[in-house]
Short mmCIF file of all heavy atoms in Angstrom, two decimals:
data_model
loop_
_atom_site.label_atom_id
_atom_site.label_comp_id
_atom_site.label_asym_id
_atom_site.label_seq_id
_atom_site.Cartn_x
_atom_site.Cartn_y
_atom_site.Cartn_z
N THR A 6 50.59 -11.65 -49.89
CA THR A 6 50.54 -10.96 -48.63
C THR A 6 51.11 -9.55 -48.76
O THR A 6 50.50 -8.65 -48.23
CB THR A 6 51.40 -11.74 -47.58
OG1 THR A 6 50.93 -13.04 -47.45
CG2 THR A 6 51.32 -11.11 -46.23
N ASP A 7 52.23 -9.38 -49.50
CA ASP A 7 52.80 -8.05 -49.63
C ASP A 7 51.77 -7.16 -50.38
O ASP A 7 51.70 -5.91 -50.02
CB ASP A 7 54.11 -8.12 -50.35
CG ASP A 7 55.20 -8.71 -49.53
OD1 ASP A 7 55.12 -8.75 -48.26
OD2 ASP A 7 56.25 -9.15 -50.10
N THR A 8 51.17 -7.66 -51.35
CA THR A 8 50.20 -6.93 -52.15
C THR A 8 49.05 -6.47 -51.29
O THR A 8 48.63 -5.23 -51.29
CB THR A 8 49.60 -7.70 -53.32
OG1 THR A 8 50.70 -8.09 -54.15
CG2 THR A 8 48.62 -6.95 -54.17
N LEU A 9 48.54 -7.37 -50.47
CA LEU A 9 47.39 -6.91 -49.62
C LEU A 9 47.79 -5.93 -48.56
O LEU A 9 47.06 -5.02 -48.21
CB LEU A 9 46.82 -8.23 -48.91
CG LEU A 9 46.10 -9.18 -49.80
CD1 LEU A 9 45.56 -10.37 -49.03
CD2 LEU A 9 44.90 -8.52 -50.55
N THR A 10 48.99 -6.03 -48.02
CA THR A 10 49.49 -5.07 -47.06
C THR A 10 49.66 -3.72 -47.71
O THR A 10 49.31 -2.71 -47.14
CB THR A 10 50.86 -5.60 -46.50
OG1 THR A 10 50.66 -6.84 -45.82
CG2 THR A 10 51.43 -4.54 -45.50
N HIS A 11 50.18 -3.68 -48.88
CA HIS A 11 50.36 -2.44 -49.66
C HIS A 11 49.00 -1.74 -49.90
O HIS A 11 48.83 -0.57 -49.70
CB HIS A 11 51.09 -2.69 -50.95
CG HIS A 11 51.29 -1.47 -51.82
ND1 HIS A 11 52.19 -0.50 -51.49
CD2 HIS A 11 50.64 -1.02 -52.96
CE1 HIS A 11 52.16 0.49 -52.34
NE2 HIS A 11 51.22 0.16 -53.23
N ILE A 12 47.99 -2.54 -50.28
CA ILE A 12 46.66 -1.99 -50.52
C ILE A 12 46.12 -1.48 -49.17
O ILE A 12 45.56 -0.34 -49.14
CB ILE A 12 45.74 -3.06 -51.04
CG1 ILE A 12 46.08 -3.49 -52.48
CG2 ILE A 12 44.29 -2.60 -51.03
CD1 ILE A 12 45.46 -4.74 -53.04
N GLN A 13 46.33 -2.16 -48.16
CA GLN A 13 45.79 -1.71 -46.84
C GLN A 13 46.45 -0.39 -46.37
O GLN A 13 45.73 0.43 -45.81
CB GLN A 13 45.96 -2.83 -45.76
CG GLN A 13 45.11 -4.03 -46.00
CD GLN A 13 45.35 -5.12 -45.02
OE1 GLN A 13 45.79 -4.85 -43.84
NE2 GLN A 13 45.29 -6.35 -45.38
N HIS A 14 47.71 -0.26 -46.67
CA HIS A 14 48.31 0.96 -46.26
C HIS A 14 47.78 2.21 -47.03
O HIS A 14 47.69 3.28 -46.44
CB HIS A 14 49.82 0.92 -46.57
CG HIS A 14 50.59 0.11 -45.59
ND1 HIS A 14 51.92 -0.27 -45.75
CD2 HIS A 14 50.27 -0.41 -44.37
CE1 HIS A 14 52.29 -0.94 -44.70
NE2 HIS A 14 51.34 -1.08 -43.90
N GLY A 15 47.24 1.95 -48.25
CA GLY A 15 46.66 3.00 -48.99
C GLY A 15 45.28 3.38 -48.48
O GLY A 15 44.75 4.47 -48.82
N PHE A 16 44.73 2.47 -47.61
CA PHE A 16 43.38 2.80 -47.02
C PHE A 16 43.46 2.79 -45.49
O PHE A 16 42.42 2.52 -44.84
CB PHE A 16 42.36 1.68 -47.54
CG PHE A 16 42.00 1.81 -48.94
CD1 PHE A 16 42.79 1.16 -49.96
CD2 PHE A 16 40.87 2.49 -49.34
CE1 PHE A 16 42.35 1.23 -51.31
CE2 PHE A 16 40.48 2.51 -50.64
CZ PHE A 16 41.28 2.04 -51.63
N HIS A 17 44.60 3.13 -44.92
CA HIS A 17 44.77 3.13 -43.52
C HIS A 17 43.75 3.88 -42.78
O HIS A 17 43.45 3.64 -41.52
CB HIS A 17 46.22 3.50 -43.14
CG HIS A 17 46.46 4.98 -43.40
ND1 HIS A 17 46.19 5.95 -42.55
CD2 HIS A 17 46.91 5.55 -44.54
CE1 HIS A 17 46.50 7.16 -43.10
NE2 HIS A 17 46.98 6.93 -44.30
N HIS A 18 43.26 5.03 -43.34
CA HIS A 18 42.36 5.88 -42.66
C HIS A 18 41.00 5.14 -42.46
O HIS A 18 40.14 5.61 -41.57
CB HIS A 18 42.10 7.14 -43.43
CG HIS A 18 41.61 6.92 -44.90
ND1 HIS A 18 42.42 6.43 -45.83
CD2 HIS A 18 40.37 7.10 -45.36
CE1 HIS A 18 41.72 6.27 -46.99
NE2 HIS A 18 40.48 6.70 -46.74
N LEU A 19 40.71 4.08 -43.17
CA LEU A 19 39.43 3.33 -43.03
C LEU A 19 39.50 2.09 -42.04
O LEU A 19 38.56 1.68 -41.43
CB LEU A 19 38.93 2.75 -44.34
CG LEU A 19 38.66 3.73 -45.49
CD1 LEU A 19 38.26 3.03 -46.75
CD2 LEU A 19 37.47 4.63 -45.03
N ILE A 20 40.80 1.53 -42.01
CA ILE A 20 40.94 0.31 -41.31
C ILE A 20 41.15 0.48 -39.78
O ILE A 20 42.07 1.24 -39.32
CB ILE A 20 42.11 -0.47 -41.91
CG1 ILE A 20 41.88 -0.82 -43.37
CG2 ILE A 20 42.44 -1.75 -41.16
CD1 ILE A 20 43.09 -1.39 -44.15
N ILE A 21 40.27 -0.10 -39.00
CA ILE A 21 40.38 -0.09 -37.53
C ILE A 21 41.26 -1.19 -37.04
O ILE A 21 42.05 -0.96 -36.15
CB ILE A 21 38.96 -0.19 -36.98
CG1 ILE A 21 38.08 0.98 -37.35
CG2 ILE A 21 39.00 -0.30 -35.42
CD1 ILE A 21 36.63 0.89 -37.04
N SER A 22 41.11 -2.35 -37.60
CA SER A 22 41.90 -3.49 -37.14
C SER A 22 41.96 -4.58 -38.26
O SER A 22 41.09 -4.59 -39.10
CB SER A 22 41.23 -4.16 -35.81
OG SER A 22 41.95 -5.17 -35.40
N THR A 23 43.00 -5.47 -38.17
CA THR A 23 43.07 -6.52 -39.05
C THR A 23 43.44 -7.76 -38.25
O THR A 23 44.12 -7.67 -37.23
CB THR A 23 44.20 -6.38 -40.15
OG1 THR A 23 45.43 -6.21 -39.52
CG2 THR A 23 43.90 -5.10 -41.00
N VAL A 24 42.98 -8.92 -38.79
CA VAL A 24 43.32 -10.24 -38.16
C VAL A 24 43.80 -11.13 -39.27
O VAL A 24 43.19 -11.23 -40.33
CB VAL A 24 42.11 -10.84 -37.50
CG1 VAL A 24 42.45 -12.22 -36.90
CG2 VAL A 24 41.58 -9.99 -36.47
N HIS A 25 44.98 -11.78 -39.05
CA HIS A 25 45.49 -12.69 -40.03
C HIS A 25 45.71 -14.01 -39.37
O HIS A 25 46.47 -14.16 -38.36
CB HIS A 25 46.91 -12.17 -40.50
CG HIS A 25 47.48 -12.92 -41.61
ND1 HIS A 25 47.28 -12.69 -42.94
CD2 HIS A 25 48.22 -14.04 -41.59
CE1 HIS A 25 47.93 -13.55 -43.64
NE2 HIS A 25 48.53 -14.45 -42.87
N VAL A 26 44.99 -15.09 -39.89
CA VAL A 26 45.08 -16.40 -39.31
C VAL A 26 45.60 -17.32 -40.32
O VAL A 26 45.17 -17.41 -41.47
CB VAL A 26 43.59 -16.85 -38.90
CG1 VAL A 26 43.66 -18.29 -38.26
CG2 VAL A 26 42.93 -15.87 -37.92
N HIS A 27 46.65 -18.16 -39.84
CA HIS A 27 47.24 -19.22 -40.73
C HIS A 27 46.49 -20.54 -40.58
O HIS A 27 46.39 -21.04 -39.48
CB HIS A 27 48.67 -19.41 -40.30
CG HIS A 27 49.56 -18.16 -40.52
ND1 HIS A 27 50.14 -17.86 -41.73
CD2 HIS A 27 49.92 -17.18 -39.66
CE1 HIS A 27 50.83 -16.70 -41.61
NE2 HIS A 27 50.59 -16.30 -40.38
N PHE A 28 45.88 -21.07 -41.63
CA PHE A 28 45.27 -22.29 -41.60
C PHE A 28 46.24 -23.47 -41.85
O PHE A 28 46.26 -24.49 -41.19
CB PHE A 28 44.18 -22.45 -42.68
CG PHE A 28 42.92 -21.56 -42.23
CD1 PHE A 28 42.39 -20.71 -43.18
CD2 PHE A 28 42.38 -21.55 -40.95
CE1 PHE A 28 41.27 -19.93 -42.87
CE2 PHE A 28 41.32 -20.77 -40.67
CZ PHE A 28 40.77 -19.98 -41.64
N ASP A 29 47.04 -23.25 -42.83
CA ASP A 29 48.13 -24.29 -43.18
C ASP A 29 49.19 -23.41 -43.96
O ASP A 29 49.22 -22.22 -44.01
CB ASP A 29 47.60 -25.46 -43.92
CG ASP A 29 46.89 -25.14 -45.19
OD1 ASP A 29 47.25 -24.09 -45.90
OD2 ASP A 29 45.95 -25.81 -45.53
N GLU A 30 50.11 -24.21 -44.60
CA GLU A 30 51.23 -23.52 -45.32
C GLU A 30 50.78 -22.64 -46.48
O GLU A 30 51.52 -21.75 -46.90
CB GLU A 30 52.24 -24.57 -45.79
CG GLU A 30 52.97 -25.23 -44.68
CD GLU A 30 53.95 -26.29 -45.22
OE1 GLU A 30 54.12 -26.42 -46.40
OE2 GLU A 30 54.58 -26.99 -44.30
N LYS A 31 49.63 -22.91 -47.04
CA LYS A 31 49.20 -22.27 -48.24
C LYS A 31 47.96 -21.38 -48.07
O LYS A 31 47.56 -20.67 -49.02
CB LYS A 31 48.98 -23.27 -49.35
CG LYS A 31 50.26 -23.86 -49.82
CD LYS A 31 50.00 -24.84 -50.99
CE LYS A 31 51.26 -25.57 -51.36
NZ LYS A 31 51.07 -26.43 -52.52
N ASN A 32 47.30 -21.51 -46.96
CA ASN A 32 45.91 -20.89 -46.78
C ASN A 32 45.88 -20.07 -45.47
O ASN A 32 46.23 -20.51 -44.44
CB ASN A 32 44.83 -21.91 -46.79
CG ASN A 32 44.76 -22.63 -48.08
OD1 ASN A 32 44.26 -22.04 -49.01
ND2 ASN A 32 45.14 -23.88 -48.05
N CYS A 33 45.46 -18.77 -45.69
CA CYS A 33 45.23 -17.94 -44.49
C CYS A 33 43.96 -17.17 -44.66
O CYS A 33 43.29 -17.12 -45.72
CB CYS A 33 46.40 -16.83 -44.58
SG CYS A 33 47.98 -17.47 -44.39
N LEU A 34 43.48 -16.68 -43.52
CA LEU A 34 42.31 -15.83 -43.46
C LEU A 34 42.67 -14.41 -43.03
O LEU A 34 43.39 -14.27 -42.05
CB LEU A 34 41.29 -16.38 -42.42
CG LEU A 34 40.12 -15.58 -42.07
CD1 LEU A 34 39.16 -15.44 -43.30
CD2 LEU A 34 39.33 -16.18 -40.82
N GLU A 35 42.22 -13.48 -43.81
CA GLU A 35 42.52 -12.11 -43.52
C GLU A 35 41.17 -11.32 -43.26
O GLU A 35 40.30 -11.37 -44.14
CB GLU A 35 43.28 -11.37 -44.61
CG GLU A 35 43.76 -10.01 -44.34
CD GLU A 35 45.20 -9.93 -43.90
OE1 GLU A 35 45.89 -10.96 -44.11
OE2 GLU A 35 45.53 -8.92 -43.31
N VAL A 36 41.00 -10.77 -42.08
CA VAL A 36 39.83 -10.04 -41.78
C VAL A 36 40.07 -8.59 -41.57
O VAL A 36 41.05 -8.30 -40.79
CB VAL A 36 39.12 -10.64 -40.48
CG1 VAL A 36 37.87 -9.83 -40.09
CG2 VAL A 36 38.81 -12.09 -40.63
N LEU A 37 39.36 -7.76 -42.21
CA LEU A 37 39.64 -6.27 -42.04
C LEU A 37 38.35 -5.70 -41.38
O LEU A 37 37.23 -5.95 -41.86
CB LEU A 37 39.82 -5.59 -43.38
CG LEU A 37 40.94 -6.05 -44.23
CD1 LEU A 37 40.97 -5.26 -45.51
CD2 LEU A 37 42.26 -5.95 -43.56
N ILE A 38 38.48 -4.95 -40.28
CA ILE A 38 37.44 -4.26 -39.67
C ILE A 38 37.60 -2.78 -39.99
O ILE A 38 38.67 -2.18 -39.83
CB ILE A 38 37.46 -4.47 -38.16
CG1 ILE A 38 37.24 -5.95 -37.86
CG2 ILE A 38 36.24 -3.60 -37.57
CD1 ILE A 38 37.49 -6.30 -36.45
N VAL A 39 36.59 -2.23 -40.71
CA VAL A 39 36.77 -0.89 -41.25
C VAL A 39 35.61 0.01 -40.80
O VAL A 39 34.50 -0.47 -40.38
CB VAL A 39 36.82 -0.89 -42.75
CG1 VAL A 39 38.03 -1.68 -43.22
CG2 VAL A 39 35.61 -1.48 -43.44
N ARG A 40 35.81 1.32 -40.91
CA ARG A 40 34.76 2.31 -40.68
C ARG A 40 34.98 3.44 -41.74
O ARG A 40 36.09 3.90 -41.84
CB ARG A 40 34.82 2.85 -39.26
CG ARG A 40 33.80 3.86 -38.90
CD ARG A 40 33.86 4.46 -37.57
NE ARG A 40 34.96 3.98 -36.77
CZ ARG A 40 34.92 3.89 -35.45
NH1 ARG A 40 33.88 4.12 -34.74
NH2 ARG A 40 35.96 3.40 -34.85
N GLY A 41 33.85 3.87 -42.26
CA GLY A 41 33.94 5.00 -43.18
C GLY A 41 32.81 5.11 -44.10
O GLY A 41 31.75 4.42 -43.92
N LYS A 42 32.97 5.87 -45.15
CA LYS A 42 31.82 6.06 -46.13
C LYS A 42 31.75 4.80 -47.02
O LYS A 42 32.73 4.12 -47.33
CB LYS A 42 32.12 7.25 -47.04
CG LYS A 42 32.10 8.50 -46.26
CD LYS A 42 32.35 9.78 -47.26
CE LYS A 42 32.43 11.00 -46.46
NZ LYS A 42 32.68 12.18 -47.32
N ALA A 43 30.48 4.41 -47.37
CA ALA A 43 30.16 3.23 -48.07
C ALA A 43 30.99 3.13 -49.37
O ALA A 43 31.56 2.12 -49.72
CB ALA A 43 28.76 3.13 -48.34
N GLN A 44 31.12 4.20 -50.09
CA GLN A 44 31.81 4.20 -51.40
C GLN A 44 33.30 3.97 -51.23
O GLN A 44 33.92 3.33 -52.08
CB GLN A 44 31.55 5.41 -52.30
CG GLN A 44 32.11 6.72 -51.70
CD GLN A 44 31.05 7.57 -50.90
OE1 GLN A 44 30.05 7.03 -50.44
NE2 GLN A 44 31.31 8.81 -50.72
N ASP A 45 33.90 4.44 -50.14
CA ASP A 45 35.31 4.26 -49.83
C ASP A 45 35.56 2.80 -49.39
O ASP A 45 36.54 2.13 -49.86
CB ASP A 45 35.74 5.15 -48.70
CG ASP A 45 35.72 6.67 -49.13
OD1 ASP A 45 35.82 6.94 -50.35
OD2 ASP A 45 35.61 7.51 -48.27
N ILE A 46 34.65 2.30 -48.61
CA ILE A 46 34.85 0.86 -48.23
C ILE A 46 34.62 -0.02 -49.43
O ILE A 46 35.32 -1.04 -49.53
CB ILE A 46 33.80 0.51 -47.08
CG1 ILE A 46 34.13 1.28 -45.83
CG2 ILE A 46 33.73 -0.97 -46.83
CD1 ILE A 46 33.05 1.29 -44.78
N LYS A 47 33.74 0.25 -50.36
CA LYS A 47 33.55 -0.52 -51.47
C LYS A 47 34.77 -0.56 -52.35
O LYS A 47 35.25 -1.64 -52.92
CB LYS A 47 32.39 -0.03 -52.35
CG LYS A 47 32.08 -0.87 -53.52
CD LYS A 47 30.88 -0.42 -54.28
CE LYS A 47 30.65 -1.32 -55.50
NZ LYS A 47 29.55 -0.86 -56.37
N LYS A 48 35.47 0.62 -52.47
CA LYS A 48 36.74 0.69 -53.22
C LYS A 48 37.77 -0.30 -52.62
O LYS A 48 38.56 -0.93 -53.33
CB LYS A 48 37.30 2.05 -53.25
CG LYS A 48 36.45 2.99 -54.20
CD LYS A 48 37.02 4.46 -54.11
CE LYS A 48 36.10 5.44 -54.83
NZ LYS A 48 36.60 6.81 -54.68
N LEU A 49 37.96 -0.20 -51.23
CA LEU A 49 38.88 -1.04 -50.57
C LEU A 49 38.53 -2.51 -50.87
O LEU A 49 39.43 -3.33 -51.13
CB LEU A 49 38.83 -0.77 -49.06
CG LEU A 49 39.63 -1.70 -48.18
CD1 LEU A 49 41.10 -1.78 -48.52
CD2 LEU A 49 39.45 -1.29 -46.67
N TYR A 50 37.23 -2.81 -50.64
CA TYR A 50 36.85 -4.28 -50.98
C TYR A 50 37.23 -4.70 -52.31
O TYR A 50 37.73 -5.80 -52.46
CB TYR A 50 35.30 -4.41 -50.69
CG TYR A 50 34.82 -5.74 -51.06
CD1 TYR A 50 35.11 -6.85 -50.34
CD2 TYR A 50 34.08 -5.88 -52.26
CE1 TYR A 50 34.62 -8.11 -50.69
CE2 TYR A 50 33.60 -7.14 -52.63
CZ TYR A 50 33.85 -8.26 -51.82
OH TYR A 50 33.47 -9.48 -52.20
N GLU A 51 36.97 -3.90 -53.35
CA GLU A 51 37.30 -4.25 -54.67
C GLU A 51 38.80 -4.44 -54.86
O GLU A 51 39.28 -5.34 -55.60
CB GLU A 51 36.75 -3.21 -55.64
CG GLU A 51 35.33 -3.16 -55.76
CD GLU A 51 34.66 -1.95 -56.46
OE1 GLU A 51 35.44 -1.06 -56.83
OE2 GLU A 51 33.49 -1.93 -56.72
N LYS A 52 39.62 -3.63 -54.29
CA LYS A 52 41.04 -3.76 -54.31
C LYS A 52 41.59 -5.02 -53.68
O LYS A 52 42.45 -5.73 -54.21
CB LYS A 52 41.74 -2.58 -53.74
CG LYS A 52 41.55 -1.30 -54.41
CD LYS A 52 42.52 -1.07 -55.42
CE LYS A 52 42.50 0.41 -56.01
NZ LYS A 52 43.43 0.58 -57.08
N VAL A 53 41.17 -5.26 -52.52
CA VAL A 53 41.63 -6.50 -51.73
C VAL A 53 41.13 -7.76 -52.27
O VAL A 53 41.64 -8.85 -52.02
CB VAL A 53 41.47 -6.39 -50.20
CG1 VAL A 53 42.16 -5.17 -49.61
CG2 VAL A 53 40.03 -6.40 -49.82
N SER A 54 40.04 -7.77 -52.94
CA SER A 54 39.40 -8.98 -53.46
C SER A 54 39.90 -9.42 -54.80
O SER A 54 39.66 -10.58 -55.29
CB SER A 54 37.92 -8.94 -53.45
OG SER A 54 37.43 -8.00 -54.34
N SER A 55 40.65 -8.55 -55.51
CA SER A 55 41.06 -8.78 -56.89
C SER A 55 42.51 -9.39 -57.09
O SER A 55 42.75 -9.95 -58.07
CB SER A 55 40.94 -7.52 -57.71
OG SER A 55 41.80 -6.50 -57.28
N PRO A 56 43.40 -9.25 -56.16
CA PRO A 56 44.77 -9.79 -56.41
C PRO A 56 44.80 -11.33 -56.68
O PRO A 56 43.99 -12.01 -56.07
CB PRO A 56 45.57 -9.38 -55.23
CG PRO A 56 44.85 -8.30 -54.61
CD PRO A 56 43.43 -8.56 -54.93
N LYS A 57 45.83 -11.70 -57.40
CA LYS A 57 46.00 -13.12 -57.68
C LYS A 57 46.24 -13.86 -56.32
O LYS A 57 47.04 -13.35 -55.47
CB LYS A 57 47.19 -13.35 -58.57
CG LYS A 57 47.51 -14.75 -58.93
CD LYS A 57 48.75 -14.93 -59.81
CE LYS A 57 49.05 -16.33 -60.11
NZ LYS A 57 50.18 -16.48 -61.03
N GLY A 58 45.65 -14.91 -56.06
CA GLY A 58 45.84 -15.68 -54.84
C GLY A 58 44.69 -15.49 -53.89
O GLY A 58 44.52 -16.30 -52.98
N VAL A 59 43.91 -14.47 -54.07
CA VAL A 59 42.73 -14.27 -53.16
C VAL A 59 41.70 -15.32 -53.64
O VAL A 59 41.16 -15.20 -54.85
CB VAL A 59 42.21 -12.84 -53.15
CG1 VAL A 59 40.91 -12.79 -52.38
CG2 VAL A 59 43.21 -11.95 -52.65
N LYS A 60 41.37 -16.24 -52.82
CA LYS A 60 40.42 -17.33 -53.21
C LYS A 60 38.94 -16.96 -53.03
O LYS A 60 38.12 -17.45 -53.71
CB LYS A 60 40.73 -18.70 -52.49
CG LYS A 60 42.15 -19.15 -52.84
CD LYS A 60 42.43 -20.43 -52.03
CE LYS A 60 43.90 -20.80 -52.31
NZ LYS A 60 44.30 -22.01 -51.61
N HIS A 61 38.74 -16.21 -52.05
CA HIS A 61 37.23 -15.94 -51.66
C HIS A 61 37.27 -14.59 -50.93
O HIS A 61 38.17 -14.36 -50.14
CB HIS A 61 36.74 -17.04 -50.80
CG HIS A 61 35.35 -16.76 -50.36
ND1 HIS A 61 34.18 -16.83 -51.16
CD2 HIS A 61 34.81 -16.34 -49.10
CE1 HIS A 61 33.14 -16.48 -50.38
NE2 HIS A 61 33.51 -16.22 -49.20
N SER A 62 36.26 -13.73 -51.16
CA SER A 62 36.13 -12.53 -50.38
C SER A 62 34.62 -12.23 -50.16
O SER A 62 33.78 -12.71 -51.01
CB SER A 62 36.80 -11.33 -51.15
OG SER A 62 36.13 -11.14 -52.42
N ARG A 63 34.38 -11.62 -49.11
CA ARG A 63 33.08 -11.29 -48.80
C ARG A 63 32.99 -9.97 -47.98
O ARG A 63 33.82 -9.74 -47.11
CB ARG A 63 32.40 -12.36 -47.93
CG ARG A 63 31.00 -12.14 -47.52
CD ARG A 63 30.51 -13.28 -46.83
NE ARG A 63 29.41 -12.94 -45.96
CZ ARG A 63 28.90 -13.56 -44.88
NH1 ARG A 63 29.56 -14.67 -44.49
NH2 ARG A 63 27.94 -13.08 -44.15
N LEU A 64 32.03 -9.13 -48.30
CA LEU A 64 31.83 -7.91 -47.69
C LEU A 64 30.57 -8.01 -46.75
O LEU A 64 29.53 -8.33 -47.30
CB LEU A 64 31.72 -6.71 -48.61
CG LEU A 64 31.42 -5.33 -48.08
CD1 LEU A 64 32.61 -4.83 -47.13
CD2 LEU A 64 31.18 -4.33 -49.16
N SER A 65 30.65 -7.70 -45.51
CA SER A 65 29.62 -7.71 -44.61
C SER A 65 29.48 -6.26 -43.97
O SER A 65 30.46 -5.79 -43.48
CB SER A 65 29.84 -8.77 -43.49
OG SER A 65 28.71 -8.70 -42.55
N VAL A 66 28.30 -5.68 -44.14
CA VAL A 66 28.11 -4.33 -43.69
C VAL A 66 27.11 -4.19 -42.64
O VAL A 66 26.04 -4.83 -42.67
CB VAL A 66 27.64 -3.41 -44.87
CG1 VAL A 66 27.45 -2.00 -44.53
CG2 VAL A 66 28.66 -3.54 -46.10
N THR A 67 27.47 -3.44 -41.59
CA THR A 67 26.49 -3.09 -40.50
C THR A 67 26.41 -1.54 -40.36
O THR A 67 27.44 -0.93 -40.36
CB THR A 67 27.05 -3.65 -39.21
OG1 THR A 67 27.20 -5.11 -39.34
CG2 THR A 67 26.07 -3.40 -38.07
N ALA A 68 25.23 -1.10 -40.49
CA ALA A 68 24.98 0.35 -40.32
C ALA A 68 24.92 0.71 -38.88
O ALA A 68 24.24 0.01 -38.09
CB ALA A 68 23.75 0.84 -41.13
N ILE A 69 25.37 1.89 -38.48
CA ILE A 69 25.24 2.37 -37.13
C ILE A 69 24.04 3.39 -37.17
O ILE A 69 24.06 4.34 -37.92
CB ILE A 69 26.50 3.12 -36.66
CG1 ILE A 69 27.66 2.12 -36.61
CG2 ILE A 69 26.36 3.75 -35.24
CD1 ILE A 69 29.01 2.75 -36.30
N ILE A 70 23.14 3.11 -36.34
CA ILE A 70 21.92 3.99 -36.29
C ILE A 70 21.86 4.72 -34.96
O ILE A 70 22.15 4.20 -33.98
CB ILE A 70 20.63 3.17 -36.48
CG1 ILE A 70 20.76 2.39 -37.87
CG2 ILE A 70 19.39 3.98 -36.35
CD1 ILE A 70 19.58 1.46 -38.09
#
């Protein structure tokens, strides 16, 4: 959790909102809602999906037209 928070602070300019849900004592869901350039969002995604303990990650992108 501390690692993910530290990473998020480094990308605070992209993050609009976060949601943290506790499923049980060992499993949580973290959702980041972001806005910015695609290459910057990809860097954030790569950082938050790589730490030990992250079991699954997924990037969902919606373009504003």
Side-chain angles (χ1 to χ4, degrees):
T6 303
D7 291 338
T8 301
L9 292 177
T10 300
H11 179 74
I12 292 167
Q13 290 176 32
H14 284 171
F16 289 87
H17 67 89
H18 59 286
L19 298 177
I20 298 173
I21 297 169
S22 183
T23 63
V24 178
H25 185 94
V26 180
H27 298 274
F28 289 132
D29 57 34
E30 292 179 4
K31 296 183 180 180
N32 296 289
C33 298
L34 169 68
E35 185 96 20
V36 177
L37 304 179
I38 301 170
V39 300
R40 179 182 3 209
K42 295 180 180 179
Q44 66 265 21
D45 295 335
I46 293 170
K47 185 177 178 185
K48 287 178 190 175
L49 171 58
Y50 172 72
E51 290 169 352
K52 292 271 189 182
V53 298
S54 63
S55 63
K57 182 179 179 181
V59 174
K60 297 177 182 179
H61 177 75
S62 62
R63 180 175 158 203
L64 176 63
S65 179
V66 179
T67 302
I69 299 175
I70 300 175

